[in-house]
Amino acid sequence: MKNGVWRRVFRDLLVSVGFLGLAVALAWLLSQLHDDSNPFAPTLFILAVALIARFTTGYVCGIIASAVSVVCVNYLFTYPFLEFNLSISGYPLTFACMLLVSVIVSTLTTQIKKQEQVRFEMEREKMRADLLRSVSHDLRTPLTSILGASSVLMEEEDLSASDRMDLAREINKDARWLVRMTENILSVTRVSGEGVALTKEDEVVEEVLSSAIGKFRKNYGDVPIRVEKPDEILMTGMDATLIEQVLTNLLENAMMHGKTTTHIFVRIAREPGRITLSVEDDGLGFPPLMLSHAFDGQTSAKDTQQPDGRRNMGIGLSACRAIIRAHGGEICAYNKKGGGAGVSFWLPDEEDAHGQ
């Protein structure tokens, strides 16, 4: 905790010194261009104070910068130069107004930042509440199914071996679904907290995709998956477990919610500064009204209801967005012109960035 406070103080100090130093340099340059007459100095320092207030924490740095700015303008950029002189007609009032304006700008900027933080916290709490409601609804169906099937196994002694095996399969299927749901929820919780820093390592993108496809095969058999990729080996920094979860979610959603899906298409491509992956299918596509809120965890039962009562798409895609954004990327959903749905996301191409 103490280390975090000192880091923030040190950062705020560097930001303040940097902006004030830049204001001094620009004001000095303008003085040289205007034969020591510099009507721009007060404006430059007020701008520096506004930037300091914007990029530092609290009021202190902005108010101190306001006082320092008044001193700098008086001592460095007001005749007689390199001397303090408050006796010249009109200067005391000018400097008092400058100090007042600087303090007001600093205060207003800080208040705006606080309002933005409050709005961000409200949106995050709303997302958590929506996710909790969605999870509570979705967990009922598999839990009820597991409870019912296990009760039959315990109470019905005359069940045939095949019936017992069918019930065991249903329990296994529902248990696997609950595991995937739990993984998604834990991932959202893991990457949505304040100060979260992912442990990223350079990974081969194709290997992470292959692992996700193998995991998908355990539940969906031999559904044809066509992979398009460049000849070169693409590597970038990532948490491989989380990105594998994203790809597994997208593959499962393509199968579960495409309804008529018979083929899945995955593309890997390198673009300037980023690596893009897309998962598409030949199913029915996203309901048009769902596209605007596909990743917020608020998909309705009408949009995603399955024959067995499960509604996993909203939570799965919400987890995908949280993971991708935590990596510094972005994700989007769309419907293909020829039919079917697609989800595409990109990750920063750290190898390309290092190369430049």
Side-chain angles (χ1 to χ4, degrees), residues 11-12 15-16 19 49-57 109 113:
R11 173 190 169 280
D12 289 348
V15 169
S16 301
F19 280 124
V49 169
L51 292 173
I52 290 170
R54 169 63 182 83
F55 293 104
T56 58
T57 305
T109 305
K113 286 196 297 183

Side-chain angles (χ1 to χ4, degrees), residues 61-74:
C61 289
I63 292 176
I64 293 176
S66 301
V68 172
S69 297
V70 171
V71 172
C72 286
V73 172
N74 184 286

Side-chain angles (χ1 to χ4, degrees), residues 131 134-139 142 174-187 245 249 252 310-316 319:
L131 183 62
S134 183
V135 168
S136 299
H137 182 282
D138 286 359
L139 292 182
D174 288 323
R176 286 178 178 272
W177 187 88
L178 287 173
V179 168
R180 293 195 298 274
M181 175 74 77
T182 303
E183 288 175 348
N184 287 331
I185 296 170
L186 290 176
S187 294
Q245 183 180 343
N249 279 349
E252 291 182 349
R310 299 188 181 95
R311 291 190 303 116
N312 187 32
M313 177 183 279
I315 296 173

Side-chain angles (χ1 to χ4, degrees), residues 68-125:
V68 172
S69 297
V70 171
V71 172
C72 286
V73 172
N74 184 286
Y75 186 76
L76 297 175
F77 303 107
T78 302
Y79 183 84
F81 303 109
L82 301 181
E83 294 182 16
F84 288 107
N85 188 349
L86 300 179
S87 62
I88 301 176
S89 177
Y91 276 180
L93 178 61
T94 299
F95 292 135
C97 289
M98 179 184 169
L99 178 60
L100 180 61
V101 169
S102 299
V103 170
I104 291 174
V105 168
S106 174
T107 303
L108 289 177
T109 305
T110 303
Q111 289 179 345
I112 291 172
K113 286 196 297 183
K114 287 188 173 181
Q115 291 174 355
E116 291 176 351
Q117 183 64 26
V118 169
R119 185 165 58 250
F120 172 76
E121 291 294 337
M122 291 176 62
E123 291 177 354
R124 187 165 64 176
E125 288 302 318

Side-chain angles (χ1 to χ4, degrees), residues 87-332:
S87 62
I88 301 176
S89 177
Y91 276 180
L93 178 61
T94 299
F95 292 135
C97 289
M98 179 184 169
L99 178 60
L100 180 61
V101 169
S102 299
V103 170
I104 291 174
V105 168
S106 174
T107 303
L108 289 177
T109 305
T110 303
Q111 289 179 345
I112 291 172
K113 286 196 297 183
K114 287 188 173 181
Q115 291 174 355
E116 291 176 351
Q117 183 64 26
V118 169
R119 185 165 58 250
F120 172 76
E121 291 294 337
M122 291 176 62
E123 291 177 354
R124 187 165 64 176
E125 288 302 318
K126 182 177 182 297
M127 184 192 74
R128 287 177 178 172
D130 291 337
L131 183 62
L132 180 60
R133 283 194 296 269
S134 183
V135 168
S136 299
H137 182 282
D138 286 359
L139 292 182
R140 288 196 191 105
T141 298
L143 288 174
T144 301
S145 177
I146 290 173
L147 181 62
S150 60
S151 297
V152 171
L153 284 174
M154 290 186 297
E155 297 172 3
E156 299 293 335
E157 298 180 357
D158 298 332
L159 285 175
S160 65
S162 61
D163 289 338
R164 288 182 177 277
M165 183 59 69
D166 289 340
L167 290 172
R169 289 196 186 97
E170 285 300 316
I171 292 174
N172 182 268
K173 178 181 177 182
D174 288 323
R176 286 178 178 272
W177 187 88
L178 287 173
V179 168
R180 293 195 298 274
M181 175 74 77
T182 303
E183 288 175 348
N184 287 331
I185 296 170
L186 290 176
S187 294
V188 172
T189 304
R190 173 183 169 187
V191 301
S192 297
E194 293 186 8
V196 173
L198 295 179
T199 302
K200 297 194 293 184
E201 297 182 359
D202 287 339
E203 303 284 351
V204 178
V205 178
E206 185 180 355
E207 290 182 358
V208 177
L209 173 61
S210 297
S211 180
I213 292 176
K215 193 173 181 179
F216 170 78
R217 293 279 188 217
K218 293 180 181 179
N219 297 310
Y220 293 95
D222 297 327
V223 178
I225 299 177
R226 178 181 176 184
V227 178
E228 294 183 8
K229 59 183 179 64
D231 294 332
E232 61 178 322
I233 296 177
L234 300 184
M235 296 182 64
T236 192
M238 67 174 77
D239 184 317
T241 301
L242 290 177
I243 297 302
E244 178 185 320
Q245 183 180 343
V246 169
L247 290 166
T248 303
N249 279 349
L250 297 183
L251 292 169
E252 291 182 349
N253 282 337
M255 195 64 204
M256 291 172 60
H257 302 284
K259 297 180 181 179
T260 61
T261 299
T262 59
H263 290 76
I264 296 175
F265 310 92
V266 182
R267 294 182 178 85
I268 306 173
R270 167 170 273 164
E271 299 176 357
R274 63 190 192 182
I275 293 175
T276 301
L277 294 94
S278 61
V279 178
E280 299 177 344
D281 60 66
D282 58 355
L284 296 180
F286 290 104
L289 294 178
M290 180 187 166
L291 282 175
S292 62
H293 56 87
F295 297 97
D296 58 13
Q298 302 179 45
T299 50
S300 66
K302 181 179 179 181
D303 287 339
T304 62
Q305 190 71 42
Q306 298 300 303
D308 57 7
R310 299 188 181 95
R311 291 190 303 116
N312 187 32
M313 177 183 279
I315 296 173
L317 291 182
S318 177
C320 291
R321 181 174 67 175
I323 291 170
I324 296 303
R325 287 185 172 179
H327 279 78
E330 194 52 83
I331 188 170
C332 65

